[in-house]
Amino acid sequence: SMVPTLASSARTLLLVLLSVPLASSRDCSRPDLDSDSLAGCTALLLDCTERPSEQAARPPPADCVLGAAALRSLLGEKLKAVGGGLKRLGLRGQLLGSSEAVELLASTLGALTALESLDLADTRLGDKGVAPLLAALPASLSSLDLAHNRLTDEGAKAVAAALGGGGSKLSSSLRLSELSLAWNGVGPRGARALGAALGAADCPLASLDLEWNGLLDRGARELGEALKTNDKLQRLRLGYNGIKDAGAEGLAAGLRRNAALAHLDLSNNGVGSDAERRWRAALAATPPPADRSAGGA
């Protein structure tokens, strides 16, 4: 009969599928780098400062910072050798502030065609260093961490341009969904540039972290204006930015016309209880469809 034949064929197919070796993938770290065994690495994590959520759990080794020669080798031939297989690269705390290191990394990023996550927090890039890297980021990248990099409004403007703010030609190639600019020196002018990027119809960001900057009320109002038209941002962190009631009211005005944002952190800003109640109510409310489609006009 046909039933045993079909069952036998199914068993045979299953055995064939199980016998096919899976593509090797692994998270690699400093020992793999030192032993030149980076083949098959889908993640290369060379963090030298803790992530805020891991400070109590796993402090980095004292000798984790790469010397100039090792850094030169990594950013040059070693990363290029891993190439299209690498999906996550973590260089948090490595010293990339020199122009040579930035140029090497920028020239290598083009070879990382599958890269999805890049952590460059606390690498001393500064405004001058971040600009060439933004221009070299692969189109595959979805998460970028630039926290604690001495960035000012100029650096924020460069980031905004890379996201498509101001009609940048890069808007179709850089499709970040997560961005951190925490612990920098971004002020109201930088917030205005970022707000212009967020307000663009094709801005892909779903999460933006701007904690520990200097946005003040003016910067918060700029972001509030962007929220009136943005329909993709879901998480916005603005703690420790000197935002008072006027800034919170500006954000609330934007939230009343926004149906996308689900989480807003305004902690440690000195917002009064009445203003806090109003922005929280605006966040919880869902605007009517007419306001969402027309930007509240």
Side-chain angles (χ1 to χ4, degrees):
S1 67
M2 291 292 292
V3 175
T5 302
L6 290 173
S8 176
S9 298
R11 285 196 298 270
T12 302
L13 179 59
L14 180 60
L15 289 172
V16 170
L17 291 174
L18 291 175
S19 67
V20 176
L22 297 174
S24 61
S25 63
R26 60 195 179 101
D27 289 357
C28 299
S29 58
R30 179 65 180 272
D32 302 289
L33 177 66
D34 292 342
S35 61
D36 287 326
S37 57
L38 297 181
C41 294
T42 53
L44 179 56
L45 308 176
L46 302 171
D47 294 354
C48 278
T49 54
E50 308 95 332
R51 298 170 186 273
S53 61
E54 298 176 353
Q55 286 182 358
R58 187 180 57 84
D63 61 347
C64 72
V65 177
L66 295 173
L71 189 62
R72 191 179 306 115
S73 176
L74 166 68
L75 300 180
E77 63 270 16
K78 289 190 177 183
L79 275 182
K80 287 180 179 177
V82 180
L86 196 66
K87 294 185 177 181
R88 295 173 58 209
L89 177 58
L91 297 174
R92 175 180 290 259
Q94 299 293 347
L95 305 181
L96 304 181
S98 72
S99 58
E100 180 188 16
V102 169
E103 290 171 5
L104 278 172
L105 181 56
S107 67
T108 300
L109 284 171
L112 307 182
T113 55
L115 193 66
E116 299 172 358
S117 175
L118 179 59
D119 187 347
L120 297 177
D122 198 20
T123 51
R124 304 186 185 183
L125 288 174
D127 295 336
K128 186 177 180 180
V130 77
L133 291 181
L134 290 168
L137 293 175
S140 57
L141 197 71
S142 61
S143 177
L144 177 63
D145 194 335
L146 293 173
H148 216 294
N149 263 302
R150 307 175 181 177
L151 302 181
T152 70
D153 288 337
E154 295 307 308
K157 289 177 183 177
V159 171
L163 290 170
S168 167
K169 295 179 180 180
L170 293 175
S171 61
S172 61
S173 59
L174 187 57
R175 308 303 297 168
L176 292 179
S177 61
E178 298 180 5
L179 172 65
S180 176
L181 294 172
W183 289 86
N184 280 297
V186 180
R189 290 184 300 167
R192 182 175 186 177
L194 292 169
L198 288 171
D202 60 349
C203 182
L205 275 184
S207 176
L208 176 60
D209 188 350
L210 287 167
E211 285 190 326
W212 288 97
N213 278 281
L215 302 183
L216 307 177
D217 286 339
R218 285 171 51 208
R221 287 196 295 267
E222 296 287 356
L223 295 176
E225 284 297 312
L227 290 177
K228 293 178 181 179
T229 55
N230 181 280
D231 61 358
K232 295 183 179 68
L233 192 68
Q234 299 172 27
R235 296 179 62 85
L236 179 59
R237 301 178 64 88
L238 300 176
Y240 297 95
N241 267 286
I243 299 169
K244 307 303 180 186
D245 288 5
E249 296 289 2
L251 288 163
L255 289 169
R256 294 187 187 102
R257 302 181 186 180
N258 181 288
L261 199 71
H263 176 83
L264 173 62
D265 183 357
L266 272 177
S267 59
N268 299 287
N269 271 301
V271 176
S273 57
D274 290 343
E276 180 170 358
R277 184 167 58 252
R278 284 190 285 273
W279 76 254
R280 288 190 181 277
L283 179 65
T286 301
D291 278 356
R292 282 179 288 177
S293 60

